[in-house]
Amino acid sequence: MNPTARPPGPRPSRTSSRRNQPATRQALSRLAGLFSFAAYSRHTIVHVPLRDGVPPDEGTGELVDLVLAHHSYGLRPSRWPALRRTLSPGTPLTVRTDEARTARDAGAWRQRPGPRDELRHTTHARTLFLFGSRDVFAESAMSFAHAAGWGPRQKRVAEGHLAYMTNLPLTDEPGGGHPAEVDVCFKPYPPYGHFRRPGESASRRCPPAASPARPPAPRSP
């Protein structure tokens, strides 16, 4: 098992039947890399600590962490709290992902005839677990990469509005219940006046506020 380092960036997820994941371009790119890394080896568990982050300004529910694991690994959510307590801060390192392989695996998932496997999910101990195969993790990575590339181009994001980009469908939890999915959304960090959509000049600035009028000079008696 190769637990990853604990990367910052994505805004915390909230538990509900529809999990909203607004994130900046940098955070979406990190999530794309983490899902791609999860797809690389079935012996890898990716842990993204989000529960203690700054709460998003949209959505409801409890803040949760995120764990990605191959369904063939057999990770049991009930064992996760004890395993999590054994994790140390680790040593910072850089991991390169194979983008060409991720694209091929995602393409294989899309072209597969008949029903395709989806991410299985469950929530335990304030942690959202997503279990899947190499191909479905690769497809999810491509979805986050698409959101990172095109999210900043959406209308009104420079005004602080959230832009819905795509979703990750999830297989229903055991025992049924409401269908669930993860909404992938883009939203820049405030202050929004510093945000520039791709193609906009960095020198473009809002016109300065008008200077207050000078009081009239006192008249001689």
Side-chain angles (χ1 to χ4, degrees):
M1 180 183 66
N2 302 311
T4 66
R6 304 182 177 184
R11 300 186 183 185
S13 297
R14 293 182 183 270
T15 56
S16 65
S17 59
R18 179 181 290 269
R19 292 168 169 83
N20 186 296
Q21 181 61 64
T24 65
R25 183 176 187 177
Q26 182 183 33
L28 289 168
S29 296
R30 287 178 177 175
L31 284 168
L34 290 171
F35 273 78
S36 180
F37 184 56
Y40 185 76
S41 171
R42 63 180 181 178
H43 300 294
T44 297
I45 297 175
V46 177
H47 172 223
V48 189
L50 300 172
R51 67 174 74 173
D52 297 324
V54 178
D57 53 6
E58 300 188 36
T60 59
E62 185 181 37
L63 300 182
V64 294
D65 290 347
L66 175 65
V67 166
L68 312 177
H70 279 246
H71 53 64
S72 60
Y73 185 77
L75 174 66
R76 291 191 296 176
S78 60
R79 295 182 56 191
W80 175 249
L83 178 61
R84 185 178 187 271
R85 286 192 292 269
T86 66
L87 297 180
S88 63
T91 302
L93 52 83
T94 299
V95 178
R96 296 185 180 276
T97 56
D98 189 337
E99 296 182 4
R101 174 180 171 174
T102 299
R104 288 196 304 269
D105 292 342
W109 182 86
R110 297 190 199 104
Q111 296 171 12
R112 189 170 299 149
R116 292 173 293 201
D117 56 324
E118 296 179 340
L119 293 170
R120 294 190 294 109
H121 73 103
T122 190
T123 303
H124 178 73
R126 295 189 63 191
T127 304
L128 171 63
F129 296 86
L130 297 181
F131 302 99
S133 64
R134 180 181 68 185
D135 292 352
V136 73
F137 277 133
E139 169 62 18
S140 301
M142 297 298 291
S143 295
F144 281 110
H146 168 81
W150 290 95
R153 301 174 183 270
Q154 303 306 303
K155 296 180 179 179
R156 302 188 70 187
V157 293
E159 302 171 16
H161 291 275
L162 180 147
Y164 169 82
M165 299 303 300
T166 185
N167 68 75
L168 308 181
L170 307 177
T171 301
D172 293 346
E173 292 184 276
H178 296 290
E181 58 187 30
V182 174
D183 288 344
V184 180
C185 307
F186 170 82
K187 188 173 184 178
Y189 277 129
Y192 305 118
H194 293 235
F195 175 76
R196 294 289 176 269
R197 294 174 63 190
E200 289 185 346
S201 172
S203 61
R204 184 179 176 184
R205 296 289 186 268
C206 297
S211 301
R214 293 184 178 180
R219 296 183 180 180
S220 301

